């Protein structure tokens, strides 16, 4: 059941990986999130804090 759901949604889900560094700092912060494509025109859905 879950295997079929994962296979079906794999074509619509993309991972977002990011790195950032604050000015004057040497520490690198890593991040990841998920983006879901909702139609063939390229509209995508994600969380507000990811888009910011």
């Amino acid at each position: 059941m879950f295997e079929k759901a994962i296979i079906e949604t794999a074509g619509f889900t993309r991972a977002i990986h990011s790195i950032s560094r604050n000015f004057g700092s040497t520490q690198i912060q890593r991040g990841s999130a998920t983006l879901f494509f909702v139609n063939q025109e390229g509209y995508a859905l994600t969380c507000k804090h990811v888009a910011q």
Side-chain angles (χ1 to χ4, degrees), residues 32-51:
S32 62
T34 306
L35 181 74
F36 303 93
F37 287 97
V38 295
N39 65 19
Q40 292 184 357
E41 294 177 3
Y43 286 90
L45 178 67
T46 192
C47 297
K48 181 181 177 182
H49 70 274
V50 173

Side-chain angles (χ1 to χ4, degrees), residues 19-30:
I19 58 170
S20 63
R21 183 172 56 96
N22 292 330
F23 182 77
S25 174
T26 58
Q27 185 178 25
I28 296 175
Q29 299 174 340
R30 294 174 286 191

